[in-house]
Amino acid sequence: MLHWILWGTDMMERISRNTRIFFEGAFYSYKALFRWLNPATYLASKVLAPLTIMIFFVFIGAYASGSNNASFYVIGNSLIFAASSGIFGVTMSVGGERWTGTLPYLFGCPANRGAMFIGRAFMHILDGMLGVFIGLGWGILLFKLDLSQANPLALLLTILVTTFSTSGLGLLMGCLSLITRNVMLVNNTVYFALLIFSGANIPVEELPAWMQVIANGLPLTRGVACARTIIAGGSLTEIMPLLKEELLIGIILTILGYFLFKVFEIQAKKLGTLDIF
Amino acid sequence: MDAIIVRNLRRVYKSSDGIIKRKVKEVVAVEDVSFEIHQGELFGLLGPNGAGKTTTVKMLTTLLIPSGGSATILDLDVVKDAGKVRPRIGFIFGGERGLYWRLSALDNLRYFASLYYVDTQVARKRIPELIELVGLQGREREKVEGYSRGMRQRLHIARALLHDPQVLFLDEPTMGLDPVGARELRTTVKNLQSANKTILLTTHYMFEADALCQRIAVINKGRIVALDTPERLKENVQDLSVVEVEVYGMPPDQIEKIKTLEWVVEVSLENRDQVQVLQVHTPKGAEAIPMLVENLNGLRLGRIITREPTLEDAYVRLVGGAK
Ligand SMILES: Nc1ncnc2c1ncn2[C@@H]1O[C@H](COP(=O)(O)OP(=O)(O)OP(=O)(O)O)[C@@H](O)[C@H]1O
Ligand SMILES: [Mg+2]
């Protein structure tokens, strides 16, 4: 009995200590990435840059498809903003450690690796969600996006799950960039793959069969579909199966990323490559 | 009691070059290294570039798996019990990397305090104390990118002390510091030892090891070539004296020739401004001067002196002089 109480309190303490690592790590690594921006530039990068991207795709899309279906591109590209936070932000936050030379200090500390690693995604999920809201906001202001049919809770859930799943991809990419020592190349490739495959700009049904297979294996694809359904007035139950799959993809990517991170740590200690950059 | 025990430690690095024909090259960075460091001792690991100092420290700090041998810290094995070793040790690697440059000193310390599970209350009290200890007070809210090299290095020391570790590894802590900064840092290190910490310090500088350490291990080409107190290391060369000759344009083969002379124990050549200084260790003392001059005929010579050997000479003799 006493044994179990001790075990229980020990567990509780561990959880609380690691929760701290999770959130403090999330906070400081985010701050370390973005503090070079002053508030004005930060805001510009969050608010203005998405606008230009959105305008670009809405007009290109309208021109290419010949229809006047701005909402399609507005919704798709708003979710792409989630992916860019998830991928670029998280990758930089993990892969950037090689550049700061902090890897030996991180791997020499006793911190729980899972909390340390997965915490990196947290702020970027919030950041990504904000990006989606801003994108949709521009859509309402400039492209007559109509959200009146949308169930707000279902939309919020869709955005949360999609941002989570893309940040899972970011964690995996972050690890790859630690291993390959090439952050930007890896990132850009994946980002453009999402632009093409996710259905954000090209309907998935119009892709060749082999591309559809890839599209269905990637995060974001289902999230984009869900968001469109919800905004068109669909119900939460209608999108639930797809949303669950999107969540599952996110969980799988996060777990894969974590394992890759552990493998990287072990390999780096074996090969002596921790502080090579 | 021994805080650190190192037994026959060995590390081989494999590196491959060439794209088509991958040739794997092996570098033995550390070979058969053994020593003990007593609790509360300040121990110096001294050696030239590439001697294997950093490699040794990396293995002891759980950052590199040894290829052979073993090491324990406070009776915990650095490989098998790595998780238990980590909270008990602090370490810094010389240089300014390894901090988040866009964060302030305070934020850097707060983050690492959480990574070391330092209680929030304790950290709140300790961080200002450490900032004071390393002399960063007043600047702690500024971003690290605006710090001087010395400030960053001192911040590293504060970081290493956050969790009040019993054992400290300082790999070239004075690297790149100006003489005043280096002296201040040495005082800090000395004070840490008074706080009863066990410290392993690596350095290139004999005088630094001499000023700080109770015992010094000299490492060269991966092997320990001497291990003793600074006094005893000096005694090794007491029977010799050193003849210093200023020369201009000494050809390398002439150094080799002098090395082979029967009354010469060790030769080193140092470049100082316009002139090279040839140092010859010999039991002959001043008698050696005419013989040496004879062997330097044809060269323009400057000042010639004989002097007592220093610890530096002991070191030069151990790691081989002419570079
Ligand atoms: N990651 C690595 N991969 C391959 N070889 C390495 C690696 N790290 C060190 N070496 C080699 O191992 C040897 C010892 O290097 P080490 O860094 O331990 O020396 P050191 O005594 O710390 O030198 P310095 O005084 O210059 O810092 C050198 O020959 C070096 O080139
Ligand atoms: Mg070194």
Side-chain angles (χ1 to χ4, degrees):
Chain A
M1 181 63 191
L2 183 67
H3 177 86
W4 285 107
I5 294 175
L6 284 178
W7 185 82
T9 46
D10 182 57
M11 260 329 261
M12 289 305 290
E13 193 189 311
R14 267 203 215 179
I15 290 172
S16 91
R17 291 188 334 160
N18 289 322
T19 311
R20 186 173 149 220
I21 289 187
F22 182 92
F23 286 110
E24 293 203 351
F27 174 69
Y28 288 117
S29 80
Y30 187 79
K31 203 168 163 186
L33 265 186
F34 284 112
R35 239 194 97 183
W36 55 282
L37 295 171
N38 60 35
T41 355
Y42 179 80
L43 225 65
S45 80
K46 286 260 89 116
V47 179
L48 293 180
L51 177 64
T52 56
I53 297 173
M54 185 148 277
I55 291 176
F56 176 78
F57 280 108
V58 167
F59 284 105
I60 290 270
Y63 178 75
S65 66
S67 69
N68 195 5
N69 185 10
S71 305
F72 179 87
Y73 300 101
V74 168
I75 299 170
N77 286 293
S78 294
L79 284 166
I80 285 280
F81 298 144
S84 67
S85 286
I87 295 172
F88 289 104
V90 179
T91 311
M92 293 296 276
S93 158
V94 175
E97 300 291 350
R98 196 182 272 291
W99 295 101
T100 49
T102 31
L103 282 176
Y105 298 106
L106 291 182
F107 286 142
C109 80
N112 178 288
R113 301 299 191 251
M116 186 165 95
F117 176 69
I118 298 168
R120 292 307 174 85
F122 181 73
M123 290 298 286
H124 298 281
I125 292 179
L126 298 184
D127 192 76
M129 290 179 70
L130 181 69
V132 180
F133 296 143
I134 291 170
L136 293 177
W138 282 124
I140 295 170
L141 276 178
L142 300 177
F143 302 108
K144 301 200 193 82
L145 177 69
D146 179 12
L147 292 185
S148 61
Q149 303 299 310
N151 171 350
L153 213 68
L155 186 59
L156 194 69
L157 197 64
T158 303
I159 294 172
L160 177 67
V161 169
T162 312
T163 323
F164 165 76
S165 70
T166 55
S167 78
L169 185 60
L171 285 173
L172 189 61
M173 290 298 123
C175 276
L176 279 180
S177 75
L178 279 180
I179 294 167
T180 61
R181 296 177 211 164
N182 193 337
V183 190
M184 271 337 204
L185 180 72
V186 177
N187 267 341
N188 285 323
T189 313
V190 170
Y191 180 70
F192 285 112
L194 285 186
L195 277 181
I196 297 166
F197 290 98
S198 68
N201 293 301
I202 309 163
V204 177
E205 316 83 65
E206 287 177 18
L207 294 172
W210 66 271
M211 281 171 97
Q212 287 193 29
V213 174
I214 297 177
N216 287 322
L218 289 174
L220 193 65
T221 311
R222 291 170 180 75
V224 169
C226 289
R228 286 190 182 128
T229 309
I230 290 290
I231 290 174
S235 70
L236 186 59
T237 32
E238 210 174 309
I239 59 158
M240 218 36 176
L242 276 188
L243 206 56
K244 275 186 189 159
E245 284 174 24
E246 181 78 30
L247 183 69
L248 188 68
I249 291 179
I251 293 173
I252 291 173
L253 288 170
T254 305
I255 292 174
L256 272 181
Y258 171 70
F259 273 107
L260 203 60
F261 188 67
K262 287 296 280 184
V263 169
F264 168 73
E265 177 175 0
I266 294 165
Q267 280 303 103
K269 284 175 181 175
K270 272 194 193 142
L271 300 175
T273 47
L274 260 192
D275 46 12
I276 292 178
F277 65 100
Chain B
M1 206 206 115
D2 291 326
I4 301 176
I5 301 171
V6 178
R7 288 280 168 265
N8 314 103
L9 210 55
R10 174 182 157 85
R11 173 70 210 200
V12 182
Y13 288 111
K14 286 195 181 72
S15 61
S16 52
D17 50 19
I19 300 166
I20 316 282
K21 255 192 184 165
R22 287 223 147 198
K23 262 189 273 170
V24 179
K25 230 175 55 186
E26 289 202 347
V27 179
V28 183
V30 168
E31 178 79 291
D32 201 20
V33 163
S34 300
F35 57 83
E36 300 89 36
I37 305 180
H38 315 311
Q39 202 120 46
E41 188 176 29
L42 210 170
F43 185 92
L45 193 57
L46 179 75
N49 289 128
K53 303 182 293 296
T54 302
T55 303
T56 306
V57 172
K58 277 186 188 158
M59 288 191 279
L60 297 181
T61 50
T62 76
L63 296 174
L64 189 65
I65 308 288
S67 315
S70 66
T72 61
I73 291 171
L74 305 170
D75 290 328
L76 297 163
D77 187 276
V78 293
V79 180
K80 283 193 232 80
D81 310 313
K84 286 185 184 142
V85 169
R86 285 180 196 134
R88 292 172 170 81
I89 63 170
F91 58 91
I92 66 167
F93 292 101
E96 4 176 38
R97 285 164 52 73
L99 296 161
Y100 297 99
W101 284 28
R102 288 171 189 164
L103 294 181
S104 65
L106 270 182
D107 280 350
N108 268 286
L109 293 177
R110 285 182 189 137
Y111 182 37
F112 276 102
S114 86
L115 290 178
Y116 276 93
Y117 299 107
V118 181
D119 184 76
T120 319
Q121 301 298 320
V122 176
R124 200 165 294 158
K125 203 166 121 357
R126 195 175 287 156
I127 288 174
E129 288 171 4
L130 288 173
I131 283 178
E132 181 107 27
L133 176 84
V134 297
L136 286 175
Q137 65 274 33
R139 312 276 313 255
E140 68 267 36
R141 283 171 207 286
E142 290 170 33
K143 277 185 252 178
V144 170
E145 64 187 7
Y147 284 9
S148 72
R149 194 178 187 139
M151 290 167 73
R152 292 189 195 121
Q153 230 137 319
R154 283 181 280 151
L155 178 56
H156 263 307
I157 298 236
R159 185 193 47 71
L161 293 170
L162 277 169
H163 52 300
D164 196 22
Q166 292 178 54
V167 179
L168 272 177
F169 295 89
L170 308 175
D171 189 20
E172 291 186 49
T174 55
M175 178 166 95
L177 297 191
D178 66 39
V180 179
R183 191 189 306 157
E184 280 171 7
L185 204 117
R186 283 195 286 274
T187 315
T188 311
V189 172
K190 201 83 199 158
N191 291 340
L192 289 175
Q193 194 213 358
S194 333
N196 206 26
K197 301 211 179 289
T198 306
I199 303 173
L200 172 65
L201 173 103
T202 82
T203 175
H204 289 146
Y205 307 121
M206 193 70 201
F207 71 91
E208 187 165 288
D210 190 14
L212 289 174
C213 303
Q214 269 105 62
R215 287 188 305 145
I216 297 171
V218 179
I219 183 169
N220 190 29
K221 300 196 177 91
R223 289 176 183 272
I224 304 254
V225 289
L227 197 171
D228 223 322
T229 62
E231 294 70 35
R232 296 269 289 278
L233 285 176
K234 277 181 231 175
E235 276 170 24
N236 271 338
V237 282
Q238 222 87 91
D239 54 329
L240 302 177
S241 48
V242 181
V243 180
E244 279 190 11
V245 187
E246 291 181 356
V247 290
Y248 297 86
M250 178 101 182
D253 57 321
Q254 204 149 1
I255 303 175
E256 294 307 314
K257 206 184 91 199
I258 290 171
K259 257 189 204 166
T260 59
L261 296 172
E262 175 253 328
W263 45 272
V264 170
V265 179
E266 185 63 64
V267 182
S268 70
L269 190 68
E270 206 179 286
N271 289 312
R272 280 183 208 156
D273 300 330
Q274 315 289 325
V275 59
Q276 295 167 300
V277 178
L278 180 73
Q279 305 189 347
V280 177
H281 299 206
T282 170
K284 292 262 195 255
E287 276 175 50
I289 294 178
M291 300 192 277
L292 186 60
V293 170
E294 196 176 312
N295 278 285
L296 291 170
N297 59 0
L299 284 176
R300 207 177 121 210
L301 303 183
R303 201 166 53 112
I304 303 176
I305 56 161
T306 58
R307 58 170 175 81
E308 294 289 293
T310 63
L311 195 55
E312 190 93 32
D313 298 313
Y315 172 65
V316 166
R317 192 171 164 191
L318 284 165
V319 302
K323 286 175 200 145

